[in-house]
């Protein structure tokens, strides 16, 4: 079996032990004679899986009791509409910091449903930094304040949070959830597509403070109401059963094999430092992000020469380091080193980059 080192930004690498267990349980899940893909989502067997997944997420992330966990579909992208439909129901206003394409999409979609304001943006330098903000600009009676915590495409992350007072802070954590501990109580809501750090595509996780779930805007489709999913324990309709099952195993891996999120952070910091230290010392490669705002998960870099970038991506793929091509809006390369990327993968990538540098200097 030849597994590659997969640096995809998403869907992305999963822990090998989880994949093996999924394979072992494929034909007969725990004596049920079926795979999890095939069984009724209303069965006792499946009920235990979804309940365990939620319990594990609460345990691993230390989610307070006054937050609901929802297992939804439609990707983080559907949340760009669900958030304003459900939460822009007071003043009808919301604030945004624009740190990339995802943050901008959340802002644009919300602008269809209410009055939106951009508090800060880093568009002037291709989103290569987290912009400063001035609290005096915040909308005092906003229904929420939205940020994208880790910017998957550009490789930046918020290292401090805006102090929004009574205004609920909402963060898209699609590409950083479970990568390090996060104080859930600082937020009104967190949401993430699962396909970066939690499991397969198809599952979207919403963690929302109970008191924020109210009556949505009048035209909201039933499937887009948080209240419907909360009242039905994410079983209003068929949930993304198999993705939830894999997510449950990923959470078990974090808790039992890694040792929790503090440990996960330690490992992620070590992995990121390996690559950043090399980029900082390299004469050929350089990182594209301001050092203070560097992501732990997504690391974009360039040689400064497009032909050489393309050559690198091609030779890397041939050597078993795949999906290193940068996002089409940034160019160059991007190594996404999510939780499941083993440290050897980063060590070997750095060795490969050193050899490439020596051969192409
Ligand atoms: C991948 C990603 C998205 C889009 O997620 P979908 O599940 O494809 O809708 C949104 N925000 C961030 C930060 C992402 O990394």
């Amino acid at each position: 079996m030849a597994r590659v080192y997969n640096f995809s930004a998403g869907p992305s690498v999963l822990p090998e032990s989880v994949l093996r267990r999924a394979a072992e349980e494929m034909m007969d899940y725990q004596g049920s004679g079926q795979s999890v893909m095939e069984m009724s989502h209303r069965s006792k067997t499946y009920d235990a899986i979804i309940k365990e997944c939620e319990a594990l997420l609460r345990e691993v992330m230390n989610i307070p009791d006054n937050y609901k966990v929802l297992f939804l579909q439609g990707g983080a992208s559907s949340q760009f509409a669900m958030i304003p439909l459900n939460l822009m129901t007071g003043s009808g206003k919301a604030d945004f910091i624009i740190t990339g394409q995802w943050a901008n999409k959340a802002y644009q979609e919300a602008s269809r449903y209410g009055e939106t304001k951009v508090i800060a943006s880093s568009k002037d330098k291709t989103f290569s930094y987290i912009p400063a903000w001035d609290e005096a600009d915040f909308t005092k009676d906003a229904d929420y304040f939205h940020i994208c915590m880790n910017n998957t495409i550009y490789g930046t992350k918020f290292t401090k949070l805006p102090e929004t007072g009574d205004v609920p802070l909402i963060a898209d954590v699609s590409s950083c959830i479970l990568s390090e501990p996060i104080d859930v109580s600082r937020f009104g809501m967190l949401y993430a597509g699962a396909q970066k750090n939690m499991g397969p595509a198809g599952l979207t996780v919403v963690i929302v403070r109970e008191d924020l779930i109210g009556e949505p805007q009048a035209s909201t489709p039933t499937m887009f109401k948080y209240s419907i999913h909360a009242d039905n324990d994410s079983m209003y309709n068929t949930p993304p059963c198999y993705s939830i099952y894999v997510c449950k195993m990923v959470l078990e891996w974090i808790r039992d094999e890694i040792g929790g999120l503090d440990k996960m952070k330690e490992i992620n910091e070590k992995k990121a430092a390996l690559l950043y230290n090399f980029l900082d010392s390299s004469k050929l490669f350089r990182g594209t992000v301001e050092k203070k705002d560097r992501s732990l998960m997504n690391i974009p870099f360039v040689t400064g020469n497009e032909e050489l970038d393309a050559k690198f991506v091609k030779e890397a793929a041939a050597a078993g380091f795949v999906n290193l091509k940068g996002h089409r809006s940034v160019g160059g390369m991007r190594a996404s080193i999510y939780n499941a990327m083993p440290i050897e993968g980063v060590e070997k990538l750095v060795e490969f980059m050193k050899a490439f540098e020596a051969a192409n200097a």
Side-chain angles (χ1 to χ4, degrees):
M1 183 191 67
R3 296 266 301 164
V4 291
Y5 288 114
N6 178 8
F7 296 90
S8 168
S12 40
V13 56
L14 284 164
E16 266 189 36
S17 61
V18 169
L19 295 175
R20 272 202 208 91
R21 205 172 130 199
E24 277 163 22
E25 294 179 338
M26 182 61 77
M27 300 305 283
D28 177 9
Y29 177 75
Q30 297 190 356
S32 67
Q34 321 152 56
S35 74
V36 175
M37 259 182 258
E38 301 166 295
M39 63 181 58
S40 165
H41 61 293
R42 307 276 177 205
S43 64
K44 265 202 178 131
T45 311
Y46 190 74
D47 194 56
I49 292 173
I50 191 168
K51 288 216 166 79
E52 180 65 14
C53 186
E54 176 175 344
L56 277 161
L57 187 66
R58 287 184 176 280
E59 179 185 346
V60 168
M61 286 186 70
N62 200 13
I63 300 173
D65 288 343
N66 62 325
Y67 285 75
K68 285 275 184 194
V69 172
L70 308 177
F71 296 125
L72 309 179
Q73 304 190 47
S77 299
S78 290
Q79 293 310 308
F80 300 159
M82 277 180 88
I83 294 165
L85 282 167
N86 284 272
L87 302 183
M88 263 182 155
T89 51
S91 64
K93 299 177 196 169
D95 286 347
F96 294 80
I97 296 182
I98 309 296
T99 49
Q101 283 191 19
W102 300 121
N104 194 48
K105 282 185 176 169
Y107 160 69
Q108 284 182 333
E109 194 71 3
S111 302
R112 303 177 61 217
Y113 300 103
E115 194 182 316
T116 50
K117 181 175 178 186
V118 174
I119 299 297
S121 166
S122 49
K123 188 162 190 260
D124 60 339
K125 291 183 188 161
T126 327
F127 301 114
S128 57
Y129 66 104
I130 299 291
W133 55 81
D134 183 352
E135 278 172 31
D137 296 332
F138 294 8
T139 305
K140 300 287 172 291
D141 62 343
D143 289 328
Y144 65 90
F145 189 116
H146 183 279
I147 61 169
C148 181
M149 190 106 110
N150 182 78
N151 295 281
T152 324
I153 296 173
Y154 306 94
T156 61
K157 78 158 185 175
F158 281 77
T159 48
K160 78 177 166 65
L161 297 173
E163 294 288 345
T164 59
D166 289 339
V167 174
L169 182 61
I170 297 183
D172 179 350
V173 288
S174 293
S175 53
C176 59
I177 191 166
L178 302 176
S179 66
E180 57 183 328
I182 180 167
D183 179 3
V184 177
S185 71
R186 279 285 275 112
F187 299 86
M189 177 179 148
L190 296 166
Y191 65 101
Q195 69 273 22
K196 278 90 188 222
N197 247 347
M198 308 188 90
L203 167 65
T204 308
V205 172
V206 166
I207 302 165
V208 56
R209 221 174 61 208
E210 251 163 16
D211 62 287
L212 297 176
I213 305 175
E215 196 47 44
Q217 293 191 9
S219 63
T220 305
T222 304
M223 271 297 286
F224 266 35
K225 294 181 180 181
Y226 291 140
S227 56
I228 278 284
H229 296 289
D231 291 347
N232 290 280
D233 295 324
S234 302
M235 286 280 208
Y236 172 71
N237 72 325
T238 316
C241 301
Y242 198 78
S243 297
I244 291 169
Y245 156 72
V246 177
C247 180
K248 175 186 91 85
M249 292 191 285
V250 168
L251 288 162
E252 283 166 339
W253 172 76
I254 292 176
R255 185 189 63 181
D256 303 332
E257 287 182 55
I258 299 294
L261 289 188
D262 285 314
K263 200 73 206 194
M264 194 78 251
K265 178 184 187 188
E266 217 177 286
I267 297 169
N268 285 330
E269 283 177 339
K270 209 165 147 188
K271 284 190 305 192
L274 274 171
L275 193 44
Y276 284 129
N277 289 341
F278 170 67
L279 289 172
D280 291 344
S281 68
S282 169
K283 291 200 168 57
L284 180 64
F285 298 100
R286 64 176 176 82
T288 57
V289 165
E290 275 189 24
K291 284 187 188 173
K292 66 176 176 48
D293 300 323
R294 283 172 161 178
S295 165
L296 272 185
M297 296 280 101
N298 311 97
I299 305 186
F301 55 94
V302 295
T303 63
N305 173 330
E306 274 179 40
E307 270 170 40
L308 210 50
D309 286 351
K311 182 170 185 243
F312 174 79
V313 170
K314 196 169 159 215
E315 289 183 11
F321 306 97
V322 307
N323 290 316
L324 280 165
K325 193 173 186 315
H327 189 271
R328 56 192 182 278
S329 66
V330 184
M333 283 71 72
R334 171 179 47 171
S336 293
I337 51 171
Y338 294 117
N339 285 352
M341 170 58 64
I343 193 151
E344 305 81 61
V346 183
E347 284 166 354
K348 288 188 179 156
L349 174 65
V350 169
E351 276 169 38
F352 180 82
M353 289 169 76
K354 281 182 183 161
F356 185 88
E357 178 168 339
N360 292 276

